[in-house]
Amino acid sequence: MTDEEYDDLLLDAIRCAQGAGEIIMSYFRKKDIGIQAKHGNESDIVTAADKASERYVIDFIHGKYPEHSILSEESGRENHDSGYLWVIDPLDGTTNFSVGLPNFSVSIGIKQNGETVVGVVYAPYLGELFHAVKGGGAYLNGERIFTGAKQRLDQCVVATGFPVDKDVNPDNNLDNVSRVLPLVRGMRRLGSAAIDISYVAAGFLDAYWEMNLHEWDVCAGLLIADEAGAKHDNFRGDRNISVVVGSPHVEEELFAILSHDRHV
Ligand code: IPD
Ligand code: CA
Ligand code: CA
């Protein structure tokens, strides 16, 4: 693909994210947003806004790129023959959204032959649009962003999240929280993995980790973080995607703490 073709894909991913964001906003802080528990788990929910946002993005892809494959949180996977795969979280941060908290986003990554080449994370309430194209740097609302460069963990503000099976599985990240909390300046739980990772890219957070995530949570964000100079690793092999991302020195220190032998 040429640079111009990547730019066209990026513009389409941005259009999709903005259109989906507008749809989501039409449900925000409204009375009946159709909250449903997935698989009977009240910690894992979907709303009418998730579904409407996803429908909009998938219809756009079907219309313009019918040969591209799709992986989207609520509808699953649709395979076609081209090497392109759109990885979509139509509403990341549904729990925040469901109670009227403003941290939520649309996350759209595009992979070509397994490599992420475009990433867009759009937080419609906050008016923050992050984007990156492979090799072209990372941007927030059109301005280039770079990850932080801190060397001392005790000066860092970090974020994490908790797995949706926390009600039945004691392997719920609290062991990591107790290890990291005393070592850092501050710890946050903001509630949208895609925004957390994008905030690491912009240097608003020094690092973020979470286990048991899925491809749609991290695909776009990790390209944005990589392009901003961040480092990331999978810190566990047994819990889906367990990502730690941060400015390089901080990420290495956290990775060492998170990949310890556990006894839960
Ligand atoms: C969730 C958010 C949250 C993270 C959860 C994810 P969803 O995604 O990213 O921050 O802690 O693990 O499942 O369900 O709102 O798309
Ligand atoms: Ca998500
Ligand atoms: Ca979601």
Side-chain angles (χ1 to χ4, degrees):
M1 261 220 167
T2 63
D3 286 355
E4 289 73 31
E5 284 167 320
Y6 281 132
D7 286 346
D8 286 348
L9 267 184
L10 169 69
L11 287 180
D12 280 334
I14 290 175
R15 263 180 220 128
C16 278
Q18 287 176 328
E22 226 173 274
I23 292 171
I24 290 170
M25 286 305 295
S26 72
Y27 291 84
F28 188 48
R29 295 180 178 165
K30 297 282 157 55
K31 274 208 174 59
D32 188 11
I33 56 164
I35 300 174
Q36 287 176 313
K38 292 200 220 174
H39 319 292
N41 178 357
E42 291 293 345
S43 301
D44 191 8
I45 56 171
V46 62
T47 72
D50 299 68
K51 292 178 192 164
S53 167
E54 182 172 77
R55 190 68 271 144
Y56 174 85
V57 178
I58 291 179
D59 284 350
F60 178 92
I61 300 166
H62 284 164
K64 182 140 182 203
Y65 301 102
E67 73 287 7
H68 287 190
S69 301
I70 299 172
L71 172 65
S72 189
E73 181 175 10
E74 311 306 334
S75 311
R77 181 137 188 165
E78 182 184 311
N79 283 320
H80 296 284
D81 273 347
S82 80
Y84 288 94
L85 172 69
W86 291 60
V87 182
I88 303 158
D89 194 334
L91 205 181
D92 185 51
T94 300
T95 301
N96 279 347
F97 177 84
S98 73
V99 290
L101 290 172
N103 246 66
F104 53 84
S105 60
V106 179
S107 174
I108 300 178
I110 303 176
K111 294 188 157 203
Q112 184 186 22
N113 301 325
E115 182 185 50
T116 310
V117 292
V118 168
V120 173
V121 172
Y122 178 47
Y125 187 90
L126 303 171
E128 294 178 336
L129 177 82
F130 296 88
H131 84 258
V133 172
K134 181 91 198 149
Y139 297 82
L140 164 56
N141 293 343
E143 301 277 324
R144 188 89 192 255
I145 50 172
F146 298 94
T147 196
K150 289 200 187 135
Q151 298 295 312
R152 288 179 48 178
L153 217 44
D154 62 356
Q155 295 177 341
C156 288
V157 178
V158 303
T160 189
F162 299 97
V164 289
D165 61 358
K166 61 186 169 35
D167 54 336
V168 289
N169 188 346
D171 182 14
N172 57 13
N173 196 33
L174 285 182
D175 56 341
N176 295 322
V177 168
S178 19
R179 277 190 177 81
V180 176
L181 184 67
L183 307 177
V184 293
R185 177 174 287 163
M187 186 182 288
R188 300 290 181 266
R189 197 293 189 238
L190 299 177
S192 161
I195 295 179
D196 292 330
I197 298 170
S198 301
Y199 279 4
V200 171
F204 305 154
L205 289 170
D206 298 299
Y208 158 77
W209 86 88
E210 185 164 345
M211 58 199 207
N212 202 33
L213 291 168
H214 296 90
E215 184 69 21
W216 48 79
D217 299 309
V218 302
C219 178
L222 287 179
L223 177 65
I224 294 165
D226 284 354
E227 288 294 326
K231 185 168 186 284
H232 73 265
D233 280 295
N234 203 54
F235 65 90
R236 292 194 47 178
D238 58 338
R239 292 283 263 147
N240 289 324
I241 294 173
S242 295
V243 76
V244 53
V245 54
S247 53
H249 178 79
V250 174
E251 193 271 351
E252 279 160 27
E253 278 203 46
L254 271 186
F255 178 72
I257 297 166
L258 298 170
S259 50
H260 67 92
D261 290 339
R262 62 198 55 252
H263 306 284
V264 283

